[in-house]
Amino acid sequence: MTAQHPIVVGVDGSQSSLQAVSWAAQEAALRSAPLTLVTTMFVPGTYGVPIGVPASLFEEEELDGKRRLAQAEEVAAQAAAGHTLDVDTAFCTGVPSGELIERSKSARMVVVGAHRHGFFDGAVLGS
């Protein structure tokens, strides 16, 4: 048996990304395809934490990312109620667009929500 290509969803916790999760979960259930929920967080580079940014920010970002994925898993389960759905989560530290592009190489499809405004808002997947 060969592994099926997943439907990949970018998750940033926004309403539009959760709607994308719901739609993708329904599609995955209809196609008997696995669903992969992906989110990212900013990680300081080799030069350390930027001046004026407390290290606790990154701990909060990690907790927030885990919450985003847990919420997205709940949305996916509700959207695919009555169907068997194989859900995988990926908590990444890469650039959001890069993560999606890399995963698109082996994905059945990639689903994202609407674009949000602002630099920091765009720093997580789904926007």
Side-chain angles (χ1 to χ4, degrees), residues 69-124:
L69 288 174
Q71 183 181 25
E73 279 186 290
E74 290 176 15
V75 168
Q78 291 172 359
H83 293 85
T84 301
L85 183 62
D86 180 20
V87 179
D88 184 33
T89 60
F91 188 25
C92 306
T93 56
V95 176
S97 59
E99 289 294 336
L100 289 176
I101 290 168
E102 185 60 33
R103 289 174 184 278
S104 74
K105 294 175 184 176
S106 61
R108 179 179 293 237
M109 71 177 77
V110 176
V111 181
V112 295
H115 178 59
R116 291 168 54 183
H117 303 288
F119 172 77
F120 191 74
D121 290 338
V124 292

Side-chain angles (χ1 to χ4, degrees), residues 6-125:
I7 293 177
V8 175
V9 186
V11 178
D12 70 359
S14 68
Q15 188 59 39
S16 65
S17 80
L18 294 176
Q19 289 171 338
V21 168
S22 178
W23 183 87
Q26 292 170 20
E27 287 297 310
L30 290 172
R31 298 167 189 257
S32 298
L35 180 69
T36 302
L37 307 172
V38 183
T39 196
T40 65
M41 71 170 272
F42 173 77
V43 174
T46 56
Y47 298 106
V49 176
I51 294 174
V53 175
S56 63
L57 172 70
F58 304 108
E59 293 170 4
E60 292 171 21
E61 281 293 307
E62 183 176 0
L63 288 173
D64 189 46
K66 290 177 181 178
R67 281 189 217 113
R68 282 193 303 270
L69 288 174
Q71 183 181 25
E73 279 186 290
E74 290 176 15
V75 168
Q78 291 172 359
H83 293 85
T84 301
L85 183 62
D86 180 20
V87 179
D88 184 33
T89 60
F91 188 25
C92 306
T93 56
V95 176
S97 59
E99 289 294 336
L100 289 176
I101 290 168
E102 185 60 33
R103 289 174 184 278
S104 74
K105 294 175 184 176
S106 61
R108 179 179 293 237
M109 71 177 77
V110 176
V111 181
V112 295
H115 178 59
R116 291 168 54 183
H117 303 288
F119 172 77
F120 191 74
D121 290 338
V124 292
L125 280 174

